Each structure stands twice: as structure tokens, then as C-alpha cells.
Amino acid sequence: MKRFVEVEQLLRTKGVRLTDQRRLVVRRAVAYLHFTSEELVRDVKAFDPSVARGTVYRTLALLHQAGVVEKHDFRYGPPNYEVTFAKAHHDHLMCIRCGEIIEFQEPRWEPMQEAAAKRYGYQLLSHTHKLYGLCGTCQRAGAKRLAKPPRLHVEEVVA
Amino acid sequence: MKRFVEVEQLLRTKGVRLTDQRRLVVRRAVAYLHFTSEELVRDVKAFDPSVARGTVYRTLALLHQAGVVEKHDFRYGPPNYEVTFAKAHHDHLMCIRCGEIIEFQEPRWEPMQEAAAKRYGYQLLSHTHKLYGLCGTCQRAGAKRLAKPPRLHVEEVVA
DNA sequence: TTCCGTGCAAATGATTTGCAGGACT
DNA sequence: AGTCCTGCAAATCATTTGCACGGAA
């Protein structure tokens, strides 16, 4: 489902000029949905090696301002980016000890978020919602001592 | 209210050794509640110049693992840290254009978050919840073009 | 012709780490 | 002794920026 078309339309309505580079970045981002900046740069360069790293970041900033992309810093490995536009809202639950990350949905939250934004006169574009805790295994395993959490690449653990 | 005592107790139950440096970092963090890493380092050094920057970061990591501190990266100025332990849960609403940040409470969310964590067998320690959108002013001002957002120091705008 | 977007490379900002000496157990 | 913690400084990682050029409005 060519969602990148919707994103491009949204950008146009915001008065953002769509260059070849930006189009490429948008398409690759939408293809991934979850990615680190490094992955996106590598991937974009695979299609067009001439695209500069800076351009990818600049486009990412644009997408964030347009409410298309969110940045998640779980403190495990590099931060990762997520395309939240035109996607069912979902949230993250992370084990602070082993680094497991569970992505889940809670439809009842959405209207409440809308309402909260409205209460302050805001037009809601996107959100991030992260719950931190201990997974069952880690509760049993490490009642006492905190383990140095392993370095996980986020793309391995995001469901 | 000397909340740092509670934090120290919590750390002890987790088997974390409390050194002078860690105690100092904890106290200053609890005194601030909101701070950037730079502020915390500067403040800790004001009390004891010998404490190394690395030690502050290492302690911060410890506090995060214990569910005492959260890191917020709003993409405006440096990331900021927040002591969430023993504090009424609250959430953030940020204008993606002018950088305004509103801190608000929504008590109904807490039990739902607990329930979500429980559903996956997690023991909930802390959370971050950020809503991104356009504030009233920016909706009217910048219907079309996205403004380059000003660089704000987070401590100026967090309520 | 005036902006705007880009590539490139260097700069910056935040955080982490290797190492050697001390302290705690 | 053996492990944990620290200060220091250098390294790393992610991201941003200055500059000069080319293309679009």
C-alpha cells in the first residue's frame, strides 16, 4: 500500500518542496517503518550513493515536524525512528534490564490523547508512549542486583 | 520533603552500593527534578569539583535502570532528564513548531498503564508519554509553511 | 536573481569507555 | 585477594552546520 504517496501529499499541503532526494528518503522510510538513522542512510545510499547523510537528517527533521516520524531513544543501542503516520497508534513496553521491547495497542488511549491535546488548544499530530519496567523473567532473575543490560540492536527486538 | 532518602533506600534494596559521589548526584537530581546532563554536572561539581562527568552519567544510568529517572529528548536543545520516582505521574504536550512544552496530568491513564504492563507480565517502573502537535498560535500562524523552530533551552519551557 | 536544497567535510554535543589507582568486602 | 567505583582523558556516536554550487521559482 503506497503510503508514501499520502506522505508526499501531506508534505505538499505544508508547502514543503519535494525534491528527488526527499522523495527517496520518504519512500525508504515508509518501506522500513522502523529504522535507525544509520540504516536509513545506508539504504538510501544503496539507491543513490550521491545523497548526503546531512540530507537524510534534514529530511528526517522535516518529517518529524510534519508529524510523520517519531524518534525513540530507548537507551539501548542507537535511537530509532518510526513512521507513525497513517499507522494504527501503538505504544511500547520495555524491560529495563534485558532490553526486550514489546509493541502493543490500546485503542482506548487515542480519544483520550485527542481530548488532552484539545484541552490546551493543540492539534495533535503524533505521540510516543513508553512504559518501562521489568519483564517476568527479569523480575525472577534479578530480584537484587541490576545486570548491565546487553547492547541490543533495536530492530532485533521491536516486534 | 527529603525524597532522596527514599531513592537511596530503593537503590539499596536493588543492591546498588551507595558511594559519596552517587549520594551527591542523587541529592542534586532530586533537588532539581528537571535538568539537563550539563546542569547536573555543573551543579554536582559546585558541591564537589572532584566528581567526574563520567561518574554523573554512570549514576544517571543506574537511576534510569532503577526506574527513578527518565530521559526526554524533545529535539529542542539538549535532552533533559526528569526524576519520576515518587512523583505524581504526568505527561508532556509539545508544539512541534514553536517548541512550547506543557506538562499535564491525566490520572485516568495510570491504572490503564498498570494494566497494560501486567498484561505482558511486566512490573511497571516508569513511563514517558509525549504528545506532539501544534499549539493554537502556531495553527493560526503557520497554516502553510513550517517555520524553523527556535532553539529553546528546555528548562525555560517545561512548566 | 533570489531562494532553497544539496553535497561535502568539519564541527558540535552528548555520552561512553579504557585505563590505572583506590576503596570496599 | 578480588571486586566494584572513580577520575581522567580520549574515543565514539549521532547529529548539525558552514560553505559554495546548482537548480527551481
Side-chain angles (χ1 to χ4, degrees):
Chain A
M1 243 72 80
K2 308 183 177 170
R3 269 201 292 259
F4 64 84
V5 177
E6 302 167 46
V7 174
E8 290 182 358
Q9 269 164 11
L10 173 66
L11 291 176
R12 249 188 300 264
T13 71
K14 302 241 179 200
V16 174
R17 194 187 302 171
L18 284 173
T19 64
D20 289 349
Q21 293 91 330
R22 287 178 179 175
R23 241 187 290 270
L24 178 55
V25 172
V26 168
R27 279 165 203 222
R28 297 316 302 156
V30 169
Y32 266 110
L33 292 184
H34 285 95
F35 51 88
T36 63
S37 55
E38 201 41 47
E39 288 171 340
L40 187 60
V41 169
R42 204 180 321 123
D43 191 63
V44 163
K45 273 180 179 292
F47 283 78
D48 180 352
S50 77
V51 176
R53 172 180 294 281
T55 297
V56 174
Y57 276 101
R58 281 186 275 236
T59 306
L60 229 29
L62 230 45
L63 291 173
H64 180 247
Q65 285 180 72
V68 172
V69 159
E70 282 313 324
K71 180 186 183 183
H72 297 288
D73 183 0
F74 290 109
R75 281 159 108 18
Y76 282 73
N80 71 102
Y81 295 82
E82 180 180 12
V83 177
T84 50
F85 176 79
K87 188 187 173 195
H89 278 195
H90 63 267
D91 306 284
H92 294 100
L93 177 58
M94 169 177 157
C95 178
I96 219 154
R97 186 169 173 281
C98 70
E100 180 188 48
I101 294 174
I102 294 174
E103 207 170 74
F104 68 97
Q105 283 185 250
E106 176 45 275
R108 285 177 299 162
W109 272 327
E110 265 195 79
M112 296 172 73
Q113 289 166 335
E114 284 289 349
K118 193 149 297 176
R119 192 183 321 143
Y120 295 95
Y122 271 60
Q123 176 199 344
L124 188 60
L125 290 172
S126 64
H127 79 275
T128 73
H129 194 177
K130 295 198 264 274
L131 309 182
Y132 296 93
L134 288 171
C135 71
T137 308
C138 288
Q139 283 173 54
R140 287 184 292 276
K144 283 254 159 212
R145 184 158 297 276
L146 291 168
K148 167 114 183 178
R151 283 274 160 162
L152 298 181
H153 283 280
V154 180
E155 62 271 27
E156 293 175 4
V157 290
V158 168
Chain B
M1 242 72 78
K2 310 183 179 170
R3 268 203 292 260
F4 64 84
V5 177
E6 301 166 46
V7 174
E8 290 183 357
Q9 268 164 12
L10 172 66
L11 290 176
R12 249 189 301 264
T13 70
K14 301 242 178 198
V16 174
R17 192 188 300 173
L18 284 173
T19 64
D20 289 348
Q21 293 91 329
R22 288 178 179 176
R23 240 187 291 270
L24 178 56
V25 172
V26 168
R27 279 165 203 223
R28 298 316 302 155
V30 169
Y32 266 111
L33 293 184
H34 285 96
F35 52 87
T36 63
S37 57
E38 200 43 46
E39 287 171 341
L40 187 59
V41 168
R42 202 178 327 121
D43 191 65
V44 163
K45 273 181 180 291
F47 284 78
D48 180 352
S50 77
V51 175
R53 172 181 226 75
T55 298
V56 174
Y57 276 101
R58 281 186 275 237
T59 307
L60 230 29
L62 231 45
L63 290 173
H64 180 248
Q65 285 180 69
V68 171
V69 160
E70 282 312 327
K71 180 186 181 183
H72 295 288
D73 183 359
F74 290 108
R75 283 158 106 20
Y76 283 74
N80 70 103
Y81 295 83
E82 179 179 14
V83 177
T84 50
F85 176 78
K87 187 185 171 196
H89 279 195
H90 63 268
D91 306 285
H92 294 101
L93 176 59
M94 169 177 158
C95 177
I96 222 157
R97 187 170 173 280
C98 71
E100 180 190 47
I101 296 174
I102 294 174
E103 208 170 73
F104 68 97
Q105 283 185 251
E106 177 45 275
R108 286 178 297 163
W109 270 323
E110 266 194 77
M112 296 172 74
Q113 289 166 335
E114 283 291 348
K118 193 148 297 174
R119 193 183 319 144
Y120 295 96
Y122 272 60
Q123 176 197 344
L124 188 61
L125 290 173
S126 64
H127 78 276
T128 73
H129 193 177
K130 295 198 265 275
L131 308 182
Y132 295 92
L134 288 171
C135 70
T137 308
C138 288
Q139 284 172 53
R140 285 184 292 278
K144 281 255 155 206
R145 183 158 298 278
L146 291 169
K148 167 113 182 177
R151 284 270 160 167
L152 300 180
H153 284 280
V154 181
E155 63 270 28
E156 293 174 5
V157 290
V158 169

